[in-house]
Amino acid sequence: RFEITSLNQDTIASICSAVDGIPLAIEVAAARARALTPDQILALLEHPLSALAERSSSSSRHPTVKAALDWSYDLLERDLQIVLDRLSVFPAEFDVDGMEAVACRPPVEASPIDAITELVDASVVFVMGKESGVARYRLPVIIRDYGSLHLKDSSNEVDVGNAHARYVFDVILRAGDTISSPGFADWIPILVALTPDIRTALDWSLSRWTRAESLVVARTLMHFWYRTGNPVDAIKWGRRMLDDISGVPNHLVAAARNCVGFGANVLGDADEALFQMDGAVALLRDGDHPRLLINALWGRGHVALQVGDVSTAHRCATEALALGDEIGDPWLRADPLSLLGFALFFSGQSLHDARRYSEEAQALYRELGDTASQSVMNPLSAIAVRQGDFASAERYALDVAALAVGTGWEGAALVNLADVFYEQGRIDEATTTLERGVLRSLDAGLENWFRIALRDLARIAVRRRDGRRAALLIGASRRNMPVYGLDPTIHEPIDAFCRSVLGDGEFTLATAEGRDMGYERLMELAIAGSHARVDAT
C-alpha cells in the first residue's frame, strides 16, 4: 500500500543514497516502511548497520546485511581487514597519504597502493574524483559503520582516532606555515576537501587531548574559515576550544578567541564579537606574536565598523599597518590598508584616499590569492559608486562576484553587485542578483549581508510602488543590521514612501511584523512579488 509521491520522493532518493545504492540494504530499508515514514527511516540511517538489522520474515529469504558484510570481510587477508577497519575513521573521502598515515601502520605490512588496489577490487572501497587527476576514495556508509564496530570491539579505536587527528593536524599546520603568503591559497582547496576530517579531528582532540594540543591549529583554521566564508564552524569550534583554557598559552587562547569573534561578527552578534576580539588583542599585547596581533587588530577594527565606531576602526588599522611595516613583510599590509579604506569611506572623509588604500590592498589580495578579502573586505565598488564611477564599480563588483562563486562569501559579493546595478537604474538585474544574494547569504550564515539584502529589496519594492512589502522588508532588515547598513540616505526615503502609502499606524505595524518574521517567511517575502513592474517615477 506504500506510494511514492511528490512529497516523499526526495526522501526516498536520500535513503537510497544513504546506503550507497546497495540493493539488499535498500530492500531492508523499504521493509521498515511498514511501520515508519521515509523521514524516520532516513533519520535512523545515521547508524545504518543497526538500522538495517533484520528481524522480519525477509531474513529467511535473503542473507542479512551484516551476514553479507561478514562474508565479504572474511574473504580479505588479515592485513586488509585491519586497513579496512582503520579506514572507517575517515568520515568522508580520503587519499593515499591519509591512508598511509592512518591505516597502513604496523602491524600492517601491505603498502598503501597495494592495499587500496585490493580493497577497490573487492568492492569495499569506492574510487572518487579520478577526473581531477588525483584519485580519492571512500568507504560505503554501511561498510564504514561496520568497520567502526570492529574498531570498538578490538579496543583499537583510541589508537586509530589519535592517528587520524594527528594526520589532519599535520596537514593544517603545514598549511599554517604559509599564512600571509601567496602559498596559503594553494592550501585552501586541500583544506576544503579535508573539512569533514577537520571536524572529526577537532571533536576527537577536544574530547581527549589537552586543550593546548588542540588549540595549535586555531590560527590556521580561523584564516581558513574566514577565507571560505564559514562563520558557523568558526564560532562552533572556537567556543569548544575556549571551554577549558587553564594553562593554555595566551597566543593560542587569542587565536581561538579570534575564531569566535570572526564568527560572531558575521553572524550578527556584535556583543560577543567585541568581547572576544578585545580579549584577543589584550592577550597578544603582552606577548611576542606580532602577526597574530595584526590579525586581531584587523578583526577588532571590523567589529568596530559593525557597531559604528569608525574612530576605533581607524586606530586599529593604523596600529596594524605600523606593526606590519616594522616586521617588513609586504603581505601584512593588505588587511590594515583595506580596513583603512573602510574607515575613511564610512567616516565620510576623503574618498580619494579611501580608494587609494583599497586599490593597494586589492592588488596585494590578488597576489595572495585571497578571494575572501577581494570579495567582501574591500569597499572598492561602493567607493566607486559614491564617486559616480559606475564603470569601475561594475568591473570591481563583477570581478569579485566571479571570484566568490562556491564560497560562503558569494552572497555578500552578489549583494554588492546588485547595489551597483541598482545605482545604475538596472532594477531587473539588481532584483535577480539580490534574490540570489539573499539565498546564498542565508545558506552561509552571513547574517549581516542577509539583512542588507533585505534592505535593498525594500528599495526595489519602493520602486515598484509596493508600500506594504517595502515596510515588511525594511522592518526585517533592521533586526541584526550592522550600523554601516543603517544608511539614512537609503532608509529615510523608504520610510517616507511607506508612511505616505500606509499611514503611520499601519507602517509601524508592518515594520514590527517584518522584524519578527522567521527565516522561512522572510525568504518567501524576499522572493515573492519582486518582479512586478517598475514605476517610471
Side-chain angles (χ1 to χ4, degrees):
R1 292 188 299 274
F2 183 83
E3 292 185 5
I4 297 177
T5 69
S6 60
L7 296 177
N8 66 23
Q9 62 184 9
D10 288 345
T11 305
I12 293 168
S14 297
I15 290 169
C16 296
S17 295
V19 296
D20 295 299
I22 297 172
L24 176 59
I26 293 174
E27 181 174 351
V28 177
R32 295 281 184 258
R34 297 187 187 100
L36 302 174
T37 68
D39 286 328
Q40 289 174 307
I41 295 170
L42 182 60
L44 288 173
L45 290 175
E46 184 177 352
H47 301 288
L49 207 56
S50 59
L52 299 177
E54 293 174 87
R55 295 180 177 84
S56 69
S57 58
S58 64
S59 301
S60 62
R61 296 184 294 107
H62 297 286
T64 65
V65 173
K66 185 176 185 306
L69 292 172
D70 286 339
W71 180 79
S72 297
Y73 187 81
D74 290 341
L75 291 176
L76 299 174
E77 296 178 2
R78 182 56 188 154
D79 254 16
L80 294 179
Q81 290 177 343
I82 295 172
V83 170
L84 187 65
D85 292 345
R86 288 173 171 177
L87 288 175
S88 69
V89 77
F90 287 97
E93 297 179 10
F94 57 89
D95 58 16
V96 171
D97 289 342
M99 185 176 179
E100 181 174 15
V102 177
C104 293
R105 299 175 296 114
V108 171
E109 295 180 356
S111 72
I113 299 299
D114 289 342
I116 197 63
T117 300
E118 293 194 50
L119 291 172
V120 169
D121 286 345
S123 299
V124 292
V125 171
F126 293 163
V127 183
M128 315 291 293
K130 291 176 78 172
E131 65 279 357
S132 68
V134 178
R136 295 181 64 82
Y137 313 91
R138 75 173 179 87
L139 269 61
V141 176
I142 292 175
I143 293 176
R144 186 187 307 134
D145 201 26
Y146 182 82
S148 295
L149 293 175
H150 276 200
L151 275 184
K152 291 175 182 175
D153 291 343
S154 67
S155 302
N156 288 324
E157 184 181 23
V158 172
D159 173 64
V160 177
N162 282 335
H164 175 262
R166 283 194 295 269
Y167 160 70
V168 174
F169 274 38
D170 179 63
V171 175
I172 296 169
L173 291 171
R174 282 188 284 130
D177 290 338
T178 67
I179 286 177
S180 299
S181 79
F184 191 65
D186 296 332
W187 283 98
I188 297 298
I190 296 171
L191 295 177
V192 167
L194 201 66
T195 290
D197 295 273
I198 291 171
R199 292 166 180 159
T200 297
L202 283 172
D203 185 51
W204 181 273
S205 70
L206 290 165
S207 301
R208 293 167 177 83
W209 298 359
T210 68
R211 206 42 107 236
E213 290 174 312
S214 295
L215 265 61
V216 294
V217 294
R219 179 187 180 220
T220 306
L221 288 178
M222 198 286 295
H223 282 267
F224 168 58
W225 289 325
Y226 158 66
R227 287 222 189 174
T228 53
N230 188 355
V232 176
D233 270 2
I235 197 167
K236 172 185 175 180
W237 295 108
R239 281 175 173 165
R240 281 198 60 183
M241 290 176 189
L242 295 172
D243 276 349
D244 178 12
I245 53 173
S246 55
V248 179
N250 283 352
H251 72 283
L252 297 181
V253 177
R257 295 190 77 148
N258 276 341
C259 291
V260 179
F262 155 65
N265 191 39
V266 176
L267 293 170
D269 188 347
D271 290 340
E272 174 79 348
L274 284 169
F275 173 73
Q276 297 295 348
M277 289 301 192
D278 279 339
V281 170
L283 286 170
L284 292 167
R285 286 201 186 283
D286 296 330
D288 186 25
H289 295 87
R291 291 173 182 268
L292 275 174
L293 179 55
I294 289 170
N295 187 244
L297 286 166
W298 175 78
R300 178 63 180 86
H302 275 284
V303 179
L305 290 177
Q306 177 167 323
V307 298
D309 185 359
V310 177
S311 62
T312 295
H314 191 282
R315 178 165 41 80
C316 288
T318 303
E319 182 180 353
L321 188 61
L323 279 171
D325 289 345
E326 186 177 323
I327 293 170
D329 185 341
W331 307 114
L332 295 176
R333 291 178 57 82
D335 286 342
L337 284 170
S338 177
L339 182 58
L340 271 177
F342 268 114
L344 289 173
F345 175 63
F346 286 126
S347 68
Q349 297 181 39
S350 170
L351 288 177
H352 173 77
D353 287 342
R355 184 164 178 171
R356 177 168 59 87
Y357 288 134
S358 299
E359 285 178 338
E360 184 181 348
Q362 190 79 329
L364 289 168
Y365 285 141
R366 193 174 295 112
E367 291 184 66
L368 284 165
D370 188 343
T371 299
S373 296
Q374 291 180 70
S375 300
V376 293
M377 294 304 175
N378 201 301
L380 268 173
S381 63
I383 294 170
V385 164
R386 188 75 60 85
Q387 293 177 320
D389 184 359
F390 293 114
S392 295
E394 184 174 351
R395 184 178 70 253
Y396 291 138
L398 285 170
D399 285 348
V400 298
L403 284 169
V405 171
T407 75
W409 295 117
E410 186 176 0
L414 289 168
V415 174
N416 279 332
L417 177 60
D419 183 62
V420 176
F421 288 149
Y422 180 89
E423 294 295 341
Q424 292 175 296
R426 295 156 62 179
I427 305 304
D428 288 343
E429 289 170 274
T431 302
T432 302
T433 305
L434 272 176
E435 288 177 346
R436 291 165 53 209
V438 75
L439 180 61
R440 292 293 293 120
S441 296
L442 184 60
D443 285 345
L446 305 186
E447 179 72 7
N448 295 349
W449 293 97
F450 178 74
R451 300 297 167 174
I452 291 172
L454 294 178
R455 179 203 68 184
D456 290 348
L457 284 168
R459 285 204 292 180
I460 290 173
V462 170
R463 292 287 295 265
R464 301 187 192 284
R465 319 302 292 175
D466 189 341
R468 174 163 171 76
R469 187 165 178 273
L472 290 168
L473 285 164
I474 201 65
S477 77
R478 287 180 176 136
R479 180 175 178 176
N480 293 335
M481 175 71 84
V483 169
Y484 57 75
L486 297 171
D487 184 342
T489 65
I490 296 175
H491 282 262
E492 288 176 4
I494 296 172
D495 290 354
F497 171 79
C498 293
R499 289 180 188 278
S500 70
V501 172
L502 302 175
D504 290 345
E506 189 177 343
F507 171 71
T508 301
L509 290 173
T511 54
E513 182 182 345
R515 184 188 62 243
D516 294 337
M517 280 185 179
Y519 289 116
E520 185 174 348
R521 285 193 65 201
L522 282 175
M523 284 308 301
E524 292 174 359
L525 176 66
I527 305 302
S530 58
H531 292 280
R533 182 179 64 85
V534 178
D535 191 289
T537 59

